[in-house]
Amino acid sequence: RAHDVRLQPLLGQVFCFLLPFRSGRSTPEPDFESSPLLSGQVQEHDKPRKGLHWVSTASLIVANMLGAGVLGLPNAVLLMDFPVAAVIVTVVTLASVYGGVLLGYLQSAVDSIQSYPQLAGYVGGHRGPAVARPLRLFVQIIMYTYVLGTCTIYLVTMRISLMSIFQKCVDDGPADLTCGQPGCSDNGKADYHTTVWLFITAACVFPLIHFRNLEDTAVVSYTGVLTIAVVNVIILVECIRASVSSDHSEHWDNRSLDRTYNDVINGATQLIFAYGGHVLFPSMMHEMRDKKDFSKSVYLSQSFMAANYCIIGFLGAYAFGYDTQAPILLNLDDNPLRAFANACLVLHVLMAYCINSTVLVQAAFKWLWPGLLEDAHRSKDRIVRWALLAVGVLACAMLIATLIPFFGNLMNVYASLGIFSLSFAVPSLLFLLMDWEKCGPARQVFNVVLIVLAVVGCALGVESAIVDIQHKWKVCDYSIKF
């Protein structure tokens, strides 16, 4: 038996024993009727596209996944403790790669699949409409909830960065690390409430919410990768400086961190949030020039991110000890270098918000007005309706960011809901639905165990995050003020 060559490049051989053989296999697309939102129906674009190169796709993955999550990693490592964090990073990285490879493998059966829900509907269709419709609907609900949550986190991250540059600090005594610092600068000139800064953030985002497909965001993705790389280099330099400074021991001396069960769970989910992004993999693969190269994009992007996460996460936690905050930029000295890092982070988050907003608005647009997005004779209607939907998504993200302004907890909630399910559990579930009869016992057991662990992780993560949010609502000021 011969392996499919699409699963062989780079690290693919490591995962081949977990996947079936596809040579000579014919898988007709399931046939059942429903709306495009609820079925596995696939629609082709009339407009031919050049498509993304696999390196561009890798950069798109990095731009989408590498950002707000990495800024919370040092705090996550501190909450879990270093040995536990090392184990979880290793396991989650392998699970992330495996989930990405599975999604690419499943989508290779039909070139016209454009989104994760369509992929779920297509695979579920092999078991009949009774499986396909609820499976697709479940994936859609989780997917778009997660994407909206990711947009919310990007707004909160951008607000903190803007405040760290322009908001002047007021000496109100020691910082309350339970509630977190909103961000400020000794050189800041503005004095606005966080709600006002959120509206300023939305104004910055607004010009970039009008892209209508991911191919148009290729330049955006490269900009996002470059800016977050600059931020990470600055964080790395500052962490090294803090680690060798004479007052480094002050971050650790005469204190201890009484880790609770919820702390460890929240730290784990905060780390797992940094591996989110599988929700957009089918959309990215659909717009690739050569889809058989998608596995290369997965291996390149995940390898780059894993190395980055280990360096920033462990070094940052060691450098700032029990004072480590999320995002870690709040720990850096208030100087022009920190201001530059925050400016780069603002640009990166703008790019990442653009990518996620495009996917969410595009899905809603196709559901509300099927065919209009590809209709060349109704460009005015298309532009106006797209703008209305994009503004609606932005308004929803702003509302959530206002009600739950806690950076770490937002990551925990959406990591538990979206990443445990769509990055780890659903790829294995779809694989078993598609190829259960062709799987050997080892593959079946492996994927079932992975699904069970993901479901348990989801439940524990949501419960711990909600408990922490309830506590912060009691002791922190989250009121809306202008």
Side-chain angles (χ1 to χ4, degrees), residues 22-28 122 126:
R22 293 185 67 93
S23 299
R25 174 181 172 181
S26 176
T27 54
Y122 167 77
H126 288 78

PDB file of all heavy atoms in Angstrom, residues 22-28 122 126:
ATOM      1  N   ARG A  22      -5.046   6.627   1.116  1.00  0.00           N
ATOM      2  CA  ARG A  22      -6.063   7.188   0.249  1.00  0.00           C
ATOM      3  C   ARG A  22      -5.873   6.824  -1.214  1.00  0.00           C
ATOM      4  O   ARG A  22      -6.612   7.283  -2.069  1.00  0.00           O
ATOM      5  CB  ARG A  22      -6.063   8.723   0.370  1.00  0.00           C
ATOM      6  CG  ARG A  22      -6.518   9.188   1.731  1.00  0.00           C
ATOM      7  CD  ARG A  22      -6.622  10.699   1.752  1.00  0.00           C
ATOM      8  NE  ARG A  22      -7.686  11.171   0.892  1.00  0.00           N
ATOM      9  CZ  ARG A  22      -8.917  11.398   1.307  1.00  0.00           C
ATOM     10  NH1 ARG A  22      -9.248  11.171   2.549  1.00  0.00           N
ATOM     11  NH2 ARG A  22      -9.837  11.853   0.464  1.00  0.00           N
ATOM     12  N   SER A  23      -4.831   6.077  -1.538  1.00  0.00           N
ATOM     13  CA  SER A  23      -4.549   5.802  -2.933  1.00  0.00           C
ATOM     14  C   SER A  23      -5.710   5.083  -3.596  1.00  0.00           C
ATOM     15  O   SER A  23      -6.240   4.095  -3.090  1.00  0.00           O
ATOM     16  CB  SER A  23      -3.289   4.942  -3.047  1.00  0.00           C
ATOM     17  OG  SER A  23      -2.193   5.630  -2.498  1.00  0.00           O
ATOM     18  N   GLY A  24      -6.115   5.608  -4.757  1.00  0.00           N
ATOM     19  CA  GLY A  24      -7.162   4.984  -5.524  1.00  0.00           C
ATOM     20  C   GLY A  24      -8.539   5.085  -4.927  1.00  0.00           C
ATOM     21  O   GLY A  24      -9.471   4.456  -5.370  1.00  0.00           O
ATOM     22  N   ARG A  25      -8.688   5.917  -3.902  1.00  0.00           N
ATOM     23  CA  ARG A  25      -9.956   5.994  -3.216  1.00  0.00           C
ATOM     24  C   ARG A  25     -10.876   6.984  -3.891  1.00  0.00           C
ATOM     25  O   ARG A  25     -10.475   8.068  -4.257  1.00  0.00           O
ATOM     26  CB  ARG A  25      -9.715   6.407  -1.769  1.00  0.00           C
ATOM     27  CG  ARG A  25     -10.997   6.647  -1.001  1.00  0.00           C
ATOM     28  CD  ARG A  25     -10.642   7.077   0.396  1.00  0.00           C
ATOM     29  NE  ARG A  25     -11.844   7.500   1.090  1.00  0.00           N
ATOM     30  CZ  ARG A  25     -11.845   7.948   2.310  1.00  0.00           C
ATOM     31  NH1 ARG A  25     -10.710   8.050   2.951  1.00  0.00           N
ATOM     32  NH2 ARG A  25     -12.960   8.313   2.901  1.00  0.00           N
ATOM     33  N   SER A  26     -12.117   6.633  -4.052  1.00  0.00           N
ATOM     34  CA  SER A  26     -13.121   7.527  -4.626  1.00  0.00           C
ATOM     35  C   SER A  26     -14.188   7.794  -3.580  1.00  0.00           C
ATOM     36  O   SER A  26     -14.778   6.875  -3.040  1.00  0.00           O
ATOM     37  CB  SER A  26     -13.764   6.896  -5.864  1.00  0.00           C
ATOM     38  OG  SER A  26     -14.789   7.728  -6.354  1.00  0.00           O
ATOM     39  N   THR A  27     -14.406   9.085  -3.252  1.00  0.00           N
ATOM     40  CA  THR A  27     -15.378   9.427  -2.228  1.00  0.00           C
ATOM     41  C   THR A  27     -16.373  10.407  -2.793  1.00  0.00           C
ATOM     42  O   THR A  27     -16.108  11.594  -2.888  1.00  0.00           O
ATOM     43  CB  THR A  27     -14.668  10.080  -1.019  1.00  0.00           C
ATOM     44  OG1 THR A  27     -13.891  11.191  -1.492  1.00  0.00           O
ATOM     45  CG2 THR A  27     -13.778   9.096  -0.315  1.00  0.00           C
ATOM     46  N   PRO A  28     -17.533   9.923  -3.267  1.00  0.00           N
ATOM     47  CA  PRO A  28     -18.527  10.830  -3.817  1.00  0.00           C
ATOM     48  C   PRO A  28     -19.033  11.790  -2.756  1.00  0.00           C
ATOM     49  O   PRO A  28     -19.170  11.422  -1.595  1.00  0.00           O
ATOM     50  CB  PRO A  28     -19.639   9.882  -4.273  1.00  0.00           C
ATOM     51  CG  PRO A  28     -19.488   8.679  -3.415  1.00  0.00           C
ATOM     52  CD  PRO A  28     -18.020   8.533  -3.182  1.00  0.00           C
ATOM     53  N   TYR A 122     -19.767  18.000   4.750  1.00  0.00           N
ATOM     54  CA  TYR A 122     -19.368  17.018   3.739  1.00  0.00           C
ATOM     55  C   TYR A 122     -19.042  15.670   4.370  1.00  0.00           C
ATOM     56  O   TYR A 122     -19.528  14.616   3.934  1.00  0.00           O
ATOM     57  CB  TYR A 122     -18.155  17.541   2.970  1.00  0.00           C
ATOM     58  CG  TYR A 122     -17.486  16.483   2.136  1.00  0.00           C
ATOM     59  CD1 TYR A 122     -18.036  16.073   0.926  1.00  0.00           C
ATOM     60  CD2 TYR A 122     -16.314  15.870   2.577  1.00  0.00           C
ATOM     61  CE1 TYR A 122     -17.440  15.077   0.169  1.00  0.00           C
ATOM     62  CE2 TYR A 122     -15.709  14.878   1.828  1.00  0.00           C
ATOM     63  CZ  TYR A 122     -16.271  14.480   0.626  1.00  0.00           C
ATOM     64  OH  TYR A 122     -15.683  13.491  -0.105  1.00  0.00           O
ATOM     65  N   HIS A 126     -21.534  11.574   4.705  1.00  0.00           N
ATOM     66  CA  HIS A 126     -21.271  10.161   4.431  1.00  0.00           C
ATOM     67  C   HIS A 126     -22.015   9.254   5.403  1.00  0.00           C
ATOM     68  O   HIS A 126     -22.120   8.044   5.165  1.00  0.00           O
ATOM     69  CB  HIS A 126     -19.765   9.887   4.490  1.00  0.00           C
ATOM     70  CG  HIS A 126     -19.010  10.448   3.325  1.00  0.00           C
ATOM     71  ND1 HIS A 126     -18.685  11.783   3.228  1.00  0.00           N
ATOM     72  CD2 HIS A 126     -18.536   9.864   2.192  1.00  0.00           C
ATOM     73  CE1 HIS A 126     -18.030  11.986   2.086  1.00  0.00           C
ATOM     74  NE2 HIS A 126     -17.925  10.835   1.445  1.00  0.00           N
TER      75      HIS A 126
END
